[in-house]
Amino acid sequence: MEKVLSGMRPTGRLHIGHYFGALKNWLELQEKHDCFYFVADWHALTTNYEDPEDIIENRRQLIFDWLSVGIDPNKCTMFVQSHNIYHAELSLLLSMLTPVSWLERCPTYKEIKQEQTNKDLSNLGFLSYPVLMTADIIMYNATYVPVGEDQLPHIEISREIIRRFHHLYNCEVFTEPKGVLTEVPRLPGLDGRKMSKSYGNAIMLSEDLKEVENKIKKMVTDTNRQRLKDPGNPEVCPVFDYHKVFSTEEEKEYIVKGCTSASIGCMECKMILYRHMQELLEPMQERRRKFESEIKDINEFLKPMQDRANEEAACMMEKVRKALKI
């Protein structure tokens, strides 16, 4: 069975953007492949090294969110990156042969430095992020890595590092991974901006449903529709972006017709959305409460899967050390 590897930074509880952007895809992949899903806590430090968040609590919340959506420990391997020291060893060894110019030309490296001007990102860890990512992937001979389009350059760097390793040491140790593009529906934040916890415009998977309802009622709509009798344009309304993901074709047709003819109001439109949001979140939250009552120690819960990941990594590092004659 072909392997899949993917990870998430532990930055706290997840929102619906994470569900549609990654977790929904993870659920499908775990049915068809040998999937390794890991908590990327070292990656979190590449940009948050000056003021690290509570990573221990955040990774606990992350695992509960994974379990709540249906990520199944009987169908995949979940583990913590920092609990597998082999990732650090392989990243260090790969850094010996990775040209700095390859890392500096990475589009994501340039974009994040431009976006996060409030942080000093001149650290080596941030520059060598793709090297650590490469180590994460090739440690398990993962064939597929589900990514967004912005991550494709990282996958290509991984492939280049692998080829350089094989050429320099005249061996074939690693599998060249393939980036699998995840179709991510456009879900803006509740205010129309990019969805982000820092903006306070996201709906969390574990959020109280009454608060979810209140947030949806306050969502920004077509700003040109000031009164009920004013016709609106669903294509410029953030609420309709959510309907494209949540609602049936019949409901979308009803909303478009009602909005453009001013025969329905924005609140009716929002309540249709809330009903669907409730149908999605309610069973997730029930599962979360069940797991929270059953699992007292996340590390103990993860141990069998962590052991499996560590054992596979140990076997890979034996091959790597042999190739490097160390």
Side-chain angles (χ1 to χ4, degrees):
M1 187 182 290
E2 292 176 309
K3 292 179 179 176
V4 170
L5 182 127
S6 193
M8 284 187 180
R9 295 183 178 207
T11 57
R13 299 194 181 207
L14 302 180
H15 54 61
I16 57 170
H18 294 119
Y19 174 74
F20 286 103
L23 294 177
K24 192 169 181 288
N25 190 39
W26 285 17
L27 291 172
E28 296 171 3
L29 290 169
Q30 74 176 3
E31 300 297 331
K32 300 179 288 186
H33 300 286
D34 185 9
C35 294
F36 286 73
Y37 299 139
F38 72 100
V39 179
D41 46 358
W42 279 337
H43 283 296
L45 291 174
T46 60
T47 53
N48 292 341
Y49 65 92
E50 290 181 312
D51 186 23
E53 300 176 27
D54 188 347
I55 290 180
I56 293 176
E57 176 59 23
N58 283 350
R59 69 189 180 210
R60 178 176 173 274
Q61 297 298 339
L62 186 63
I63 295 295
F64 279 129
D65 276 331
W66 289 359
L67 293 170
S68 76
V69 303
I71 301 301
D72 189 342
N74 296 310
K75 296 179 180 178
C76 68
T77 300
M78 293 182 280
F79 67 97
V80 178
Q81 182 187 38
S82 67
H83 291 183
N84 189 336
I85 199 67
Y86 296 115
H87 284 242
E89 181 183 357
L90 183 54
S91 178
L92 173 66
L93 294 175
L94 294 178
S95 71
M96 305 297 184
L97 59 102
T98 304
V100 173
S101 60
W102 290 6
L103 305 175
E104 290 177 330
R105 77 183 187 215
C106 182
T108 311
Y109 171 72
K110 299 174 184 175
E111 288 167 10
I112 295 178
K113 282 199 78 170
Q114 291 173 350
E115 289 174 2
Q116 300 194 21
T117 54
N118 60 322
K119 293 184 178 180
D120 179 7
L121 295 180
S122 57
N123 55 309
L124 179 59
F126 177 62
L127 175 65
S128 63
Y129 176 101
V131 180
L132 179 56
M133 180 177 172
T134 300
D136 298 330
I137 297 166
I138 66 178
M139 186 73 80
Y140 307 97
N141 274 328
T143 303
Y144 302 113
V145 183
V147 291
E149 197 166 355
D150 62 324
Q151 291 284 310
L152 282 177
H154 288 175
I155 301 298
E156 190 51 43
I157 290 175
S158 296
R159 293 163 65 85
E160 289 178 342
I161 291 173
I162 291 169
R163 292 169 193 152
R164 184 168 170 81
F165 187 99
H166 289 167
H167 172 72
L168 287 173
Y169 307 115
N170 192 27
C171 63
E172 294 288 331
V173 177
F174 306 115
T175 298
E176 286 194 28
K178 300 183 181 96
V180 180
L181 277 177
T182 304
E183 287 189 23
V184 180
R186 182 183 178 273
L187 277 183
L190 302 176
D191 55 3
R193 294 185 294 171
K194 177 182 175 181
M195 188 183 297
S196 171
K197 284 180 285 188
S198 61
Y199 292 159
N201 63 359
I203 291 175
M204 315 311 290
L205 298 179
S206 55
E207 193 159 4
D208 180 80
L209 292 176
K210 189 63 182 176
E211 182 59 27
V212 172
E213 182 180 7
N214 291 335
K215 282 186 172 182
I216 290 175
K217 285 180 178 179
K218 296 175 183 177
M219 278 185 73
V220 172
T221 56
D222 177 3
T223 54
N224 291 320
R225 194 174 188 198
Q226 301 293 328
R227 295 171 295 276
L228 180 60
K229 64 181 181 181
D230 295 333
N233 179 4
E235 291 305 322
V236 299
C237 176
V239 177
F240 194 66
D241 284 324
Y242 282 74
H243 279 296
K244 291 175 183 177
V245 174
F246 281 95
S247 299
T248 65
E249 291 301 320
E250 292 77 12
E251 286 170 329
K252 285 184 279 190
E253 288 177 13
Y254 171 76
I255 291 164
V256 169
K257 182 178 179 181
C259 180
T260 54
S261 65
S263 60
I264 66 168
C266 292
M267 195 55 66
E268 181 182 350
C269 173
K270 290 178 177 180
M271 286 302 95
I272 294 172
L273 172 60
Y274 172 67
R275 285 197 297 273
H276 286 298
M277 193 84 73
Q278 186 179 27
E279 289 168 3
L280 175 72
L281 296 179
E282 204 162 39
M284 288 183 187
Q285 295 182 5
E286 287 178 7
R287 283 193 294 268
R288 189 183 224 276
R289 286 191 289 269
K290 175 178 178 291
F291 283 115
E292 284 177 330
S293 68
E294 294 175 350
I295 301 171
K296 302 306 178 186
D297 186 327
I298 281 292
N299 292 335
E300 184 179 331
F301 167 75
L302 291 175
K303 190 177 186 307
M305 294 180 283
Q306 187 77 49
D307 287 347
R308 186 205 168 190
N310 292 7
E311 287 165 11
E312 290 218 10
C315 291
M316 175 58 76
M317 289 312 301
E318 285 184 16
K319 298 176 185 177
V320 172
R321 295 188 201 108
K322 183 178 179 181
L324 290 169
K325 299 183 174 70
I326 57 174

